Amino acid sequence: ACGQNNNTPDAGNNGNGSVPANNNANASGGNSEATGTLADAQKKGSVTIGFANENPYAYKDADGKLTGEAVEIARVILERLGIKEMKGELTEFTSLIAGLQAKRFDMITAGMFINPKRCEAVLFANPEYSIGAAIAVKQGNPLKLTSYKSIADNAKAKVAVMAGAVELDYLKASGIPDNQMIIVPDQDAAISALQSGRVDAMTMTGPALQSRLDSAKDSNLERVMDFEQPLVDGKEVTGYGATAFRPDDTSFQEAYNAELEKMKESGELLEILKQFGFTEQELPGDMTSSQLCEG
Ligand SMILES: CC1=N[C@H](C(=O)O)[C@@H](O)CN1
């Protein structure tokens, strides 16, 4: 029962993956009417977003309401752009980009991290927050796992990670072979794998991991508090999450960024983040999507 109301096949796309270019987006300086997805959404008063049911980024709460930090930030911005209604299209995290390209939805609102690979396929707004990775293990941490490297160093240790997540790349970069990784479709499946003993650890962003532990209330599991952040090319990695649009939707992205910037300056962004367990430390500062797309 999750808002499957925009499931029409993409008639304009004949399978070659190309979308008609939006040549009018920046036509003749200034007073041109908005075109493309933004204008369509403004006309309809609604937009469909893709999300992966990952608490606290974008998920349905106990009452079935679509919420999360990414969703609530988008809700405010969309309202200010004249779009009152947000419809959610639940999609596995690993299929979000394909779903956006296929026009099953018009934005990805899942707290997805900006990185150069993804920037080839989508147009990111500026980041909403920044965060690191975390792991959880069995109570007492029997294998003494405190980093991805420590998992790589123990051939018997297995770790659950969500398909399509950046953590999968970080695990590989830390030297963990495929046979030590169990790839799961979503974060609920990750904690199930840990509870059932199929894996010795699960990894995801700190807030997602904490939310899974909080809702499981399982005294047989614990978060590794002295976890060392993974290094990629010798650098500690930090994820910056943002809303994503199709590459043609530059006017949508620009309008979105302008509203986001105001929310950063007024403190409204932090207020929303706080409702989902984030603190001032997780504010994105003045980091931009262009910087992050360059790598
Ligand atoms: C919010 C989020 N960020 C990571 C990513 O973007 O791949 C993954 O951990 C999946 N979820």
Side-chain angles (χ1 to χ4, degrees):
C2 61
Q4 271 131 358
N5 32 29
N6 194 17
N7 236 350
T8 48
D10 177 18
N13 183 342
N14 291 321
N16 63 4
S18 72
V19 181
N22 176 10
N23 293 317
N24 296 329
N26 294 313
S28 64
N31 57 359
S32 62
E33 236 179 81
T35 54
T37 305
L38 173 58
D40 289 348
Q42 286 169 329
K43 246 174 263 160
K44 277 191 296 193
S46 75
V47 72
T48 304
I49 61 109
F51 74 108
N53 234 4
E54 187 181 22
N55 187 329
Y57 302 104
Y59 60 97
K60 290 222 169 160
D61 69 13
D63 304 325
K65 187 194 172 211
L66 181 59
T67 190
E69 66 76 29
V71 168
E72 297 307 334
I73 292 166
R75 198 187 299 285
V76 170
I77 294 178
L78 291 169
E79 259 175 36
R80 290 177 187 165
L81 296 177
I83 304 156
K84 287 209 173 59
E85 197 191 352
M86 246 166 109
K87 297 173 183 168
E89 186 75 27
L90 177 62
T91 299
E92 282 181 9
F93 189 85
T94 193
S95 300
L96 284 170
I97 290 181
L100 179 71
Q101 290 172 326
K103 300 194 174 177
R104 285 180 49 220
F105 38 84
D106 289 319
M107 309 161 53
I108 299 171
T109 308
M112 183 181 278
F113 292 171
I114 303 167
N115 67 27
K117 201 162 85 187
R118 290 174 177 163
C119 292
E120 288 173 17
V122 302
L123 185 65
F124 281 105
N126 285 325
E128 296 153 4
Y129 72 90
S130 76
I131 202 72
I135 65 172
V137 294
K138 289 278 190 205
Q139 166 70 29
N141 197 358
L143 300 186
K144 304 269 171 285
L145 305 174
T146 55
S147 63
Y148 288 176
K149 175 96 183 20
S150 69
I151 300 174
D153 288 344
N154 181 344
K156 287 204 181 108
K158 285 200 164 66
V159 57
V161 62
M162 184 164 72
V166 291
E167 289 79 22
L168 186 54
D169 297 334
Y170 302 162
L171 292 169
K172 286 184 187 160
S174 304
I176 300 178
D178 288 353
N179 65 8
Q180 283 180 249
M181 288 188 266
I182 302 289
I183 297 171
V184 292
D186 55 41
Q187 306 300 26
D188 286 333
I191 194 163
S192 299
L194 183 59
Q195 286 176 310
S196 68
R198 283 176 67 218
V199 295
D200 307 287
M202 65 171 186
T203 186
M204 52 191 84
T205 62
L209 184 121
Q210 197 57 52
S211 102
R212 288 308 81 218
L213 290 177
D214 291 348
S215 74
K217 296 192 183 68
D218 184 341
S219 59
N220 293 317
L221 305 182
E222 68 179 40
R223 180 172 180 171
V224 174
M225 296 315 290
D226 54 354
F227 175 68
E228 288 166 43
Q229 289 300 314
L231 301 177
V232 173
D233 300 329
K235 271 197 303 187
E236 239 184 50
V237 289
T238 304
Y240 286 84
T243 290
F245 303 91
R246 279 183 291 274
D248 278 346
D249 282 326
T250 48
S251 47
F252 205 171
Q253 180 235 27
E254 282 163 16
Y256 197 92
N257 272 346
E259 293 299 332
L260 180 64
E261 188 56 36
K262 289 184 216 159
M263 291 174 73
K264 285 182 185 173
E265 277 165 22
S266 68
E268 207 179 355
L269 180 78
L270 179 59
E271 285 312 306
I272 295 177
L273 288 173
K274 278 183 178 166
Q275 291 166 29
F276 296 95
F278 294 76
T279 68
E280 242 169 278
Q281 275 190 310
E282 281 90 39
L283 283 171
D286 51 15
M287 185 60 88
T288 64
S289 56
S290 335
Q291 273 170 280
L292 293 158
C293 286
E294 276 166 28

